[in-house]
């Protein structure tokens, strides 16, 4: 485990039970070895260190809950923006350490500094990740903060792909914050207090919660009932993270070295329509066997599908989701691969009485255009679209650049962007 982020994450786990945690591939494959109440209590009390070369929440094993929120910056004063980022830096470090934002009891003459709903709760390995959108650099042709010349060439607003139904109030944003924890209240508390502190400088644009099935081991499932994340790379694969996730100084924006690009997509799942499909049709749409997660031509979950031996798609349809997502063409496919960190969401009914549920898709990659967009364009090609598009509808999200990690106390988020 030589990657500094991984080391930092694990060394920051303060409870003795940290030795009882093993890593696997993402979305559910970072699991606790001892799924007992005692072990759960122990791991919930673990904390992650905020400081380091990379931010947490990228290669950190996925916690059970997420709260992702986008902010619009309302000030035109770059000094106020820097002050906000400095304040958020201190707050994030404090919250991730499991400390309150104010000493209790607070001054009765003023509104509380810390809203307090987390009092008595463990942090649940809280991670808080900050990223910036293209509009922070330029909005409606205006160089708002004198940062236009520093915008990474690859950072754009998320385009509308075939079958997307993006809603403005759920899409884009100047800054996005991802809070993940094994306790949803801790996630909410972090976003709420960061928002409270931003008053007068920024306001919330959209917010989306997500959760995973709580299980001790194995790949977790999406709301279509299939294992999701089987092909995700190992979090311990340093070569992959170096080649496919982390941005380096030679990628065109040296201030962003140590960061990565983040894609968020709020994907509505048409649950009622999906539930009417036959079991075998569902497997062919996904391209995997439902219970085991094995590819259609395999026996075990982690078997590699042999698409080259099935050129007509008689075993695994050519328009199945996993075949279009990763056609396994060797080096080209490997260069495209992304690191996923998805969560399910389950809300109320929509305006016509359908279940409002789906996938909070989050992924990280080093190059938006040659990785995520290349895959997405293949999935949404009108000539051979992903079969799953008939059962999903993307309504929100955006593209963001995850800021490099804050190396030490006294430094702040995005410092290299401004200085």
């Amino acid at each position: 485990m030589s990657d500094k982020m991984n080391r930092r994450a694990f060394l920051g786990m303060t409870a003795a039970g940290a030795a009882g945690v093993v890593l696997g591939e993402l979305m559910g494959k970072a699991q606790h070895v001892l799924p007992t109440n005692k072990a759960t209590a122990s791991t919930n009390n673990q904390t992650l260190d905020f400081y380091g070369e990379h931010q947490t929440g990228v290669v950190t094993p996925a916690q059970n809950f997420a709260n992702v929120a986008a902010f619009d910056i309302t000030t035109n004063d770059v000094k106020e923006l820097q002050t906000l980022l400095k304040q958020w830096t201190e707050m994030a470090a404090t919250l991730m350490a499991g400390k309150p934002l104010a000493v209790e009891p607070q001054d009765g003459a003023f509104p509380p500094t810390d809203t307090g709903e987390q009092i008595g709760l463990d942090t649940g390995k809280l991670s808080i990740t900050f990223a910036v959108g293209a509009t922070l650099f330029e909005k409606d042709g205006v160089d708002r903060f004198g940062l236009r010349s520093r915008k990474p060439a690859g950072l754009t607003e998320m385009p509308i792909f075939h079958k997307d139904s993006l809603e403005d109030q759920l899409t884009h944003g100047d800054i996005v914050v991802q809070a993940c924890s094994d306790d949803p209240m801790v996630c909410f508390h972090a976003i709420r207090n960061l928002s409270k502190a931003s008053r007068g400088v920024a306001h919330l644009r959209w917010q989306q919660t997500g959760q995973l099935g709580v299980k001790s081991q194995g790949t977790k499932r999406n709301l279509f009932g299939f294992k999701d994340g089987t092909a995700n790379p190992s979090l311990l694969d340093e070569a992959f993270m170096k080649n496919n996730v982390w941005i380096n100084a030679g990628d065109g924006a040296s201030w962003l070295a140590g960061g990565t690009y983040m894609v968020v997509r709020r994907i509505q799942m048409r649950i009622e329509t999906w539930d009417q499909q036959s079991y075998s049709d569902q497997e062919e749409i996904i391209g995997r066997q439902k219970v085991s997660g094995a590819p259609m031509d395999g026996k075990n979950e982690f078997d590699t599908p042999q698409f080259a031996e099935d050129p007509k798609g008689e075993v695994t349809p050519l328009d199945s989701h996993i075949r279009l997502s990763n056609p396994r063409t060797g080096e080209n496919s490997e260069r495209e691969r992304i690191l996923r960190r998805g969560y399910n969401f389950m809300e109320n009914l929509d305006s016509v009485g359908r279940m409002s549920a789906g996938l909070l898709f989050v992924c990280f990659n080093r190059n938006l255009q040659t990785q995520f967009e290349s895959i997405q364009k293949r999935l949404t090609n009108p000539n051979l679209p992903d079969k799953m598009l008939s059962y999903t509808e993307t309504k929100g999200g955006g593209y963001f650049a995850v800021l490099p990690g804050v190396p030490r106390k006294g430094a702040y988020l995005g410092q290299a962007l401004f200085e």
Side-chain angles (χ1 to χ4, degrees), residues 13 83 129 332 388 392:
M13 294 177 178
T83 299
T129 314
N332 288 337
M388 206 168 71
T392 60

Side-chain angles (χ1 to χ4, degrees), residues 41 44-47 95 97-100 116-124 181-189:
N44 279 346
N45 198 31
Q46 295 167 355
T47 59
L95 292 170
K99 299 177 181 177
E117 66 269 34
Q118 90 299 353
I119 294 174
L121 299 178
D122 293 327
T123 65
S181 167
D182 287 331
D183 190 325
M185 185 79 90
V186 172
C187 296
F188 179 83
H189 173 259

Side-chain angles (χ1 to χ4, degrees), residues 162-184:
H162 179 60
K163 294 274 193 176
D164 279 0
S165 301
L166 299 182
E167 298 178 5
D168 186 60
Q169 70 273 22
L170 300 175
T171 310
H172 308 315
D174 295 327
I175 296 180
V176 73
V177 182
Q178 172 194 262
C180 298
S181 167
D182 287 331
D183 190 325

Side-chain angles (χ1 to χ4, degrees), residues 52-74:
E53 179 183 5
H54 309 297
Q55 288 196 67
T56 55
V58 178
V59 299
T60 306
Q63 301 91 327
N64 287 320
F65 299 92
N67 193 322
V68 180
F71 291 80
D72 284 334
I73 302 299
T74 55

Side-chain angles (χ1 to χ4, degrees), residues 6-70:
N6 284 331
R7 278 204 309 267
R8 186 161 52 83
F10 275 82
L11 291 175
M13 294 177 178
T14 56
V21 178
V22 296
L23 278 177
E25 294 176 337
L26 191 57
M27 197 171 181
K29 288 192 283 180
Q31 308 301 338
H32 308 282
V33 172
L34 299 172
T36 65
N37 291 338
K38 184 176 180 180
T40 300
S42 177
T43 54
N44 279 346
N45 198 31
Q46 295 167 355
T47 59
L48 305 181
D49 189 358
F50 174 77
Y51 298 101
E53 179 183 5
H54 309 297
Q55 288 196 67
T56 55
V58 178
V59 299
T60 306
Q63 301 91 327
N64 287 320
F65 299 92
N67 193 322
V68 180

Side-chain angles (χ1 to χ4, degrees), residues 53-55 130-134 136-137 150-156 245-262 365-368 399-406 413-419:
E53 179 183 5
H54 309 297
Q55 288 196 67
F130 297 84
V132 298
L136 189 76
F137 300 87
R150 312 211 73 187
K151 186 176 84 66
L155 181 61
T156 66
V245 176
W246 299 125
I247 295 169
N248 69 41
D251 288 341
S254 58
W255 66 266
L256 193 54
T260 182
Y261 291 108
M262 177 182 187
N365 51 173
R366 183 177 169 186
N367 188 305
L368 286 165
Y399 284 176
F400 304 95
V402 175
L403 298 170
V406 178
L413 287 158
Q415 186 168 357
L417 171 61
F418 297 97
E419 301 175 358

